[in-house]
Amino acid sequence: MIVADLLQVPDLRLSLAWGPPELLERQVTGVTSTDLQDPARYLQPGELVLSGLVWWQPGHPEARALALRFATSLRSAGVAALLAGEGTHGEVPPALVSACEVHGIPLLSVPAGTSFRAVTDRVYLRLWGSLQPAVPEQARRELIELMYQGAPAGVVLDRAVSGLGCGPCSLVSASGRTIASSAGAPEPDPEEVRAALPVPGAEHPHGAAALPVGEGDGNPFDGWYLYPHGRPAGRAAVLHGLAEVLGTLWTRARGEAAERRRAAGRLAALLTESGPGPMHAAALLEALAACGLPAGQPLVLVTARIDGQDAPGAAADALAEALHGAAAGFAVGTKADGGALAVVATDDPAALAAGLREVWPRLQARLPERHLLRAGVGPRADRPAAELAAGLRQARYALDAAAGAAPRTGTVGASGELDSLAALVRGIPAEVAQAFRRRLLEPLVEHDRGTGGALLATLVSFLEHDCSWARTAEALHVHVNTVHYRIRRIEELTARDLARLDDRLDLRAALLCGTP
């Protein structure tokens, strides 16, 4: 297959942004999706590179340099061509076209209506031939019949592997969770599976990369993968054909999940409605029953969001993935704001939070660096109709508090861990916290800026040393009389009396409002 072949596939609707005829004759060896600025170490010579251009920053003062850096990385890897998606920015940036021309990299544009999955499938169809012959028609019919009969995933996979002779395989989720395995297959190691998943920037083991079975456009958690154990020689076409057939199994599972999601979405809507009364309580209990949650068992609310991510249902799918390993009974729904809410049947919120944190790094690894996955775990609710709405509010606050403590990493917060003033303050909305800090401390900041003084540092030290004059003086390496003078000035400027507990707490809270 050569690069020019892609322009002849009518349903892909690819167009040539730049590339002379001689460069379009380059042979294609494979395809990799990436949104890294410098993906060279993850690429192989002759590959097509699919990029949604998430790394591109419109209006950046060094836009041309960014484009040249990306193109340089592709040239150093010896790729065959770049396929740039128009979905993120509406067009292929002219600076990128120019950079590809400088480095001699054919550039094809992918319209917003064409999924990267469709492009990848077409490439592998041309590389390995039609998938239909790879899986004999009789075997295909048997597998599809099994799936339509509602056979479990493990039964379908075992029949497929035994009939096609492609070696032991497992079906895995986007987080590396094992969904089903064929007979005799070892339990996959989640970290090895994660490394084999086709995630932008992940290095795939040669001959053992997981193959997409089903995945939603733009949603990094909505998909299954066929994971072959070992490297069955000469079975690449069969494995790709099997992955394509198993897409029916994934579609069936997604349909079942959609039904559960709708029931949980109704529950989420009820929990966010105001003014609970007898009718509201009855509707809430009915919604819980529709979600299949056991009656009379303690429940815990979990809420989640993905900062920077707008793929529909992504937060709900991520939370469902996490809960598969952390809880037995749960229901996950999508909230009106795009976030997710889960009701979990458990009497141990702390253990639930620990279970989520164990799988969280694997889920966060599926997201670009700027997209942060966050969750908050609420308290145990023994009386759902009366306590779940309050539990949701606490879960939201726990999420915000954890985000405030770690603004640049994915986090899981728990309401049971809000046991200090510092933890409590971190959940306050940033705008409110900054306004409070300015109102109380701006006079000290202005004084220090104008005089070169150290009132703010003295206040911090004084409170940290339990308002001890001597220990504050020792820590600041000044005379105790200097501390007395500075504290008096602090009290004058802030209208607070540091001999009073309430005033000390006000100033301590204001200081914490500026602490990440």
Side-chain angles (χ1 to χ4, degrees), residues 89-416:
H89 304 292
E91 64 174 355
V92 177
L96 181 59
V97 178
S98 176
C100 287
E101 184 175 358
V102 168
H103 289 292
I105 301 170
L107 175 59
L108 281 63
S109 60
V110 183
T114 298
S115 71
F116 282 9
R117 168 70 187 273
V119 176
T120 301
D121 284 350
R122 287 291 183 168
V123 171
Y124 285 119
L125 276 169
R126 293 297 299 266
L127 288 176
W128 285 305
S130 172
L131 295 180
Q132 285 290 120
V135 176
E137 187 59 33
Q138 180 61 32
R140 178 182 290 267
R141 282 200 301 269
E142 289 181 3
L143 293 175
I144 290 177
E145 181 64 25
L146 267 179
M147 288 185 277
Y148 281 138
Q149 290 173 0
V155 172
V156 176
L157 188 60
D158 196 41
R159 176 74 64 86
V161 167
S162 62
L164 298 174
C166 54
C169 294
S170 294
L171 275 174
V172 298
S173 71
S175 69
R177 174 176 58 90
T178 302
I179 298 165
S181 293
S182 61
E187 179 68 22
D189 179 84
E191 291 304 315
E192 291 182 5
V193 171
R194 186 179 65 79
L197 293 177
V199 179
E203 190 170 4
H204 308 304
H206 297 296
L211 308 174
V213 169
E215 50 186 339
D217 292 339
N219 186 337
F221 307 106
D222 183 16
W224 287 1
Y225 298 87
L226 180 65
Y227 179 74
H229 297 266
R231 295 166 24 172
R235 309 306 289 170
V238 172
L239 288 169
H240 278 80
L242 175 57
E244 186 259 344
V245 172
L246 292 176
T248 301
L249 194 63
W250 173 77
T251 301
R252 184 186 77 184
R254 288 304 295 164
E256 295 169 351
E259 288 297 322
R260 297 192 298 270
R261 191 70 52 84
R262 277 190 287 271
R266 170 59 179 157
L267 178 59
L270 285 169
L271 288 172
T272 54
E273 291 175 0
S274 59
M279 293 183 63
H280 183 275
L284 191 60
L285 292 174
E286 183 180 336
L288 285 169
C291 291
L293 293 167
Q297 184 170 341
L299 301 174
V300 172
L301 258 296
V302 182
T303 188
R305 71 171 188 247
I306 303 176
D307 292 346
Q309 170 70 263
D310 57 3
D317 282 318
L319 185 53
E321 268 298 300
L323 288 170
H324 271 293
F330 64 88
V332 179
T334 300
K335 299 192 296 181
D337 62 4
L341 178 145
V343 184
V344 184
T346 179
D347 60 357
D348 193 345
L352 175 60
L356 292 177
R357 286 169 179 150
E358 184 176 346
V359 73
W360 221 244
R362 297 202 295 271
L363 295 170
Q364 181 62 56
R366 298 286 297 171
L367 294 167
E369 186 176 349
R370 296 188 301 276
H371 298 175
L372 298 174
L373 179 60
R374 307 191 184 281
V377 179
R380 165 176 164 165
D382 293 305
R383 296 179 297 128
E387 299 175 358
L388 276 182
L392 175 58
R393 290 190 289 271
Q394 292 189 54
R396 286 172 176 166
Y397 200 90
L399 184 155
D400 290 336
R408 295 178 180 82
T409 58
T411 51
V412 176
S415 62

